[in-house]
Amino acid sequence: MQIQIYNKFLSGRKLLIVLIDPDKFDSPKANLFFSSNKKHIDMVFVGGSLLEANRTEKVVAELKSIADCPVVIFPGSSMQIVPNADAILFLSLISGRNAEFLIGQHVQAAPLIYRLGIESIPTSYILVDGGKTTSVQYISQTIPVPADKPDIAAATALAGKYSGHQLVYLEAGSGALHAVPAEIVAEVAQKTQLPVIAGGGIRNAETAEKLVKAGAKAIVVGTLYETNPDEIVRIAEKIHSI
Ligand code: 1GP
């Protein structure tokens, strides 16, 4: 089993991950951003709710040539698995009860992952209410964990750990009004002792710092890449110093 990418989640460094949606990918913009900021970015996730493999593969290829870090698939469906990525998050949407995102897509994806030999990281994907209905909630037709219920989030994450998952991704959803609360991050990190990724609704370095201090190993930003890339650099400087 390959574990090169997973090992990055076990190192002492806190990780700043930029999520790129291939549908919105703009090559000159990405070149500009990564040429001046690559030292701040630890990993790139590529994914979105509505994508197809052809486009994803092209975007992964380009990102690999311009960003000096691993490019990992954060799939919205089994159609987004492409051969040139460094790894794939094998996500189980365990905050939901939709069998399609608990096992259906996985059965379709597994033979391809096997054939490609790509590193696959078993990940508990837990949606947490971020103050509005996000694409991931709508597309998956699932309801998130309430933001004031750290005990439910921790119980869910522990169930994921006992099922063999190696990472926990706490997701408020892209464009969320509020990031995942620090109390939830703290409870999940402490109970599971697994690396925790927090994403969705993170708009400034102060929020990122709070989440990392609560126990998040990695911070994911997507919207900021589109709206305020300078703040991504501030987040990097902040979390890399913790
Ligand atoms: C990654 O979905 C998020 O987990 C990205 O969210 O677009 O709100 O940064 P934002």
Side-chain angles (χ1 to χ4, degrees), residues 32-227:
L32 192 66
F33 177 76
F34 284 102
S35 63
S36 43
N37 296 319
K38 56 175 81 156
K39 70 172 188 294
H40 297 295
I41 312 301
D42 297 291
M43 202 173 284
V44 175
F45 283 174
V46 175
S49 297
L50 298 169
L51 309 167
E52 33 85 27
N54 265 352
R55 174 124 184 103
T56 306
E57 189 168 345
K58 284 193 200 114
V59 170
V60 168
E62 182 158 357
L63 284 167
K64 284 185 73 164
S65 72
I66 59 178
D68 199 12
C69 65
V71 177
V72 173
I73 298 294
F74 171 52
S77 80
S78 60
M79 283 165 62
Q80 294 167 18
I81 294 160
V82 295
N84 52 348
D86 293 302
I88 174 170
L89 294 187
F90 202 71
L91 300 172
S92 296
L93 179 48
I94 60 172
S95 52
R97 300 295 179 269
N98 182 345
E100 193 56 25
F101 295 96
L102 287 163
I103 187 61
Q105 291 288 324
H106 309 65
V107 172
Q108 300 199 15
L112 184 56
I113 294 174
Y114 177 79
R115 186 153 54 78
L116 297 175
I118 187 169
E119 178 177 346
S120 169
I121 306 174
T123 304
S124 289
Y125 191 45
I126 300 177
L127 307 189
V128 177
D129 193 284
K132 65 180 260 203
T133 304
T134 57
S135 300
V136 59
Q137 286 171 32
Y138 180 76
I139 296 284
S140 68
Q141 292 286 297
T142 66
I143 51 170
V145 174
D148 60 350
K149 300 286 183 210
D151 52 342
I152 296 181
T156 307
L158 275 175
K161 174 176 174 149
Y162 298 146
S163 305
H165 301 168
Q166 295 175 338
L167 264 185
V168 184
Y169 195 140
L170 295 173
E171 171 73 278
S174 188
L177 300 179
H178 318 289
V180 173
E183 296 71 25
I184 287 194
V185 170
E187 186 82 1
V188 167
Q190 192 264 322
K191 290 260 168 64
T192 63
Q193 295 292 306
L194 289 173
V196 171
I197 302 174
I202 298 170
R203 301 285 176 267
N204 55 55
E206 291 67 34
T207 305
E209 178 184 27
K210 205 168 157 197
L211 296 179
V212 167
K213 287 191 168 158
K217 172 69 198 171
I219 294 293
V220 182
V221 291
T223 300
L224 270 186
Y225 171 76
E226 307 293 336
T227 59

